[in-house]
Amino acid sequence: MNDTITKILLHWGLEKSEVKQIYHTAWQVGEQYVLKEYQNREMLERNLKILRILDDMKIPVGKIVPTRDNRQYISSEDALYFLAEKLPGKHISHFGEDMGLAFKMGEIIANLHIAFQKCEDVEGLWNNSLLDEMNGWVKSSLEEAGWKYISKKEYEETTEQLALVYDSLPVQLIHRDVHFGNFLFENGVFSGYIDFDLSQRNIRIFDICYFLLGLLCEEESSDFSEEMWLPFLENVFAGYESRLEISEAEKRAVPYVMECIELLFVAYFEREQDARCAEDAFHLYEFVKKREDRIYESLHAGRSAFPEGEKMCRATE
């Protein structure tokens, strides 16, 4: 594979650079660049258009580096590749009780959503619906598995709660994979967004709900606990609302969106025959289900107090 990457880098005159694989479809090239591989041309071209629009708006994303003959990407051996400038900063790994960071993350997600509104005319955007997924492949998968984790009756009740408010929820382009791994910080200051591979048009609160659920998944590998989750949620939403208003319908829908996201993961991991991850996802569904009222109350509690200028969490060393 290294020989293949070296040949690809000839197109940028970087064949002598040190290369380090950082993901199964991404390589760091020297200290300045990241090379990404795609199998799907439509996905690649859509992502490049989004990156160009965001970059033109001065949103911190990896700037596309053209080849020596001024191409945006190249094709080689049934795969497609593009090169981008490597953003400064690292991923946050410890966040503990940092409610300042929670508020800031709400602002960061809202700023991305504001910028995404300028990308709505990008050709080939994936129009998706969480409700359609729940009534489609998710339900079919759980049914095929014999309703192993949740009864059909409880599943339909959960889906119906979302259906009652779904048509009133704002839809726009979203990131769809919001977690700390896709946000970079340098010396405690936000430095950039990465990975738009799953970006799609969907309900906008999906991004916030997905991010907050992910914090519970990371509990064992960080200094975060379930007790901190509701205050963190309160401050993330407060930060978001400092930039974009969240409707009452969206606030009502938050616990149901979270529950449906976890049931989606149950169905996905059932298909993958990953029993442990499917069980973990169902436990998160139950966690949210038991706290529906507290979640809704937290969304109306307003911003928790935290010291002005509080230092944000350190990035991974």
Side-chain angles (χ1 to χ4, degrees):
M1 189 64 193
N2 285 342
D3 290 341
T4 301
I5 298 301
T6 298
K7 291 177 182 177
I8 289 163
L9 290 174
L10 280 166
H11 294 276
W12 285 273
L14 296 170
E15 64 278 5
K16 294 182 180 180
S17 300
E18 182 180 352
V19 176
K20 177 174 66 175
Q21 189 160 12
I22 54 177
Y23 191 61
H24 68 276
T25 56
W27 296 263
Q28 181 174 317
V29 181
E31 296 296 324
Q32 292 181 280
Y33 306 107
V34 173
L35 182 74
K36 288 199 68 176
E37 176 188 285
Y38 286 80
Q39 298 297 320
N40 185 302
R41 187 181 299 271
E42 183 179 339
M43 175 186 286
L44 169 60
E45 292 183 346
R46 181 187 69 227
N47 288 359
L48 292 178
K49 287 176 184 176
I50 291 173
L51 285 174
R52 287 197 296 271
I53 292 171
L54 295 178
D55 182 48
D56 287 344
M57 295 173 63
K58 308 303 181 186
I59 302 299
V61 295
K63 187 183 292 288
I64 300 165
V65 180
T67 62
R68 290 189 295 183
D69 56 356
N70 207 34
R71 284 181 289 167
Q72 297 283 293
Y73 64 91
I74 62 107
S75 176
S76 176
E77 298 182 7
D78 301 321
L80 305 160
Y81 299 86
F82 86 93
L83 190 74
E85 292 181 2
K86 182 178 179 291
L87 289 167
K90 298 179 180 179
H91 311 302
I92 283 179
S93 60
H94 301 284
F95 38 92
E97 299 183 44
D98 192 343
M99 297 305 153
L101 173 62
F103 190 89
K104 186 63 179 176
M105 282 303 300
E107 290 181 315
I108 290 167
I109 295 169
N111 288 338
L112 182 60
H113 283 179
I114 292 169
F116 269 157
Q117 291 169 7
K118 303 292 186 181
C119 303
E120 287 288 318
D121 60 349
V122 169
E123 293 181 10
L125 283 185
W126 177 15
N127 286 286
N128 200 13
S129 162
L130 177 60
L131 184 60
D132 286 349
E133 288 189 281
M134 298 306 294
N135 288 324
W137 75 266
V138 176
K139 184 176 182 179
S140 297
S141 296
L142 295 176
E143 198 165 33
E144 289 169 9
W147 300 104
K148 181 178 177 181
Y149 294 97
I150 185 172
S151 70
K152 181 179 180 181
K153 181 175 182 293
E154 185 179 357
Y155 178 85
E156 291 179 343
E157 287 174 351
T158 299
T159 305
E160 179 60 26
Q161 290 285 354
L162 180 62
L164 289 173
V165 295
Y166 199 83
D167 287 343
S168 62
L169 303 180
V171 172
Q172 68 158 79
L173 182 63
I174 64 170
H175 188 281
R176 181 49 179 79
D177 195 18
V178 175
H179 57 79
F180 272 124
N182 284 332
F183 295 79
L184 300 177
F185 291 81
E186 185 173 38
N187 299 320
V189 178
F190 175 67
S191 58
Y193 305 94
I194 62 174
D195 193 359
F196 298 95
D197 289 352
L198 298 181
S199 294
Q200 59 186 240
R201 295 190 80 252
N202 209 326
I203 52 173
R204 67 173 181 173
I205 58 170
F206 187 105
D207 271 351
I208 320 174
C209 293
Y210 185 97
F211 170 68
L212 289 162
L213 291 167
L215 299 178
L216 293 168
C217 296
E218 297 171 8
E219 181 184 353
E220 292 182 4
S221 60
S222 70
D223 49 357
F224 193 74
S225 70
E226 291 181 357
E227 291 74 24
M228 300 173 192
W229 188 72
L230 282 171
F232 212 88
L233 174 148
E234 177 185 325
N235 281 277
V236 168
F237 272 94
Y240 190 96
E241 283 209 277
S242 73
R243 303 288 290 121
L244 279 175
E245 183 180 357
I246 298 177
S247 69
E248 181 62 23
E250 288 178 290
K251 291 177 181 179
R252 286 283 181 192
V254 164
Y256 311 130
V257 170
M258 289 182 170
E259 289 163 17
C260 288
I261 287 172
E262 290 309 321
L263 291 177
L264 182 152
F265 275 115
V266 172
Y268 172 78
F269 288 121
E270 274 286 303
R271 280 188 170 185
E272 296 293 307
Q273 298 183 328
D274 188 334
R276 186 184 66 81
C277 286
E279 188 171 332
D280 287 346
F282 184 66
H283 287 159
L284 282 184
Y285 162 82
E286 292 183 308
F287 175 88
V288 173
K289 189 77 174 175
K290 292 174 183 175
R291 293 163 176 80
E292 286 180 352
D293 291 341
R294 293 175 64 191
I295 290 170
Y296 180 69
E297 290 167 4
S298 294
L299 297 179
H300 289 81
R303 177 182 176 183
S304 294
F306 61 89
E308 289 298 325
E310 181 178 346
K311 185 178 179 181
M312 297 180 68
C313 294
R314 66 181 180 86
T316 306
E317 297 296 333

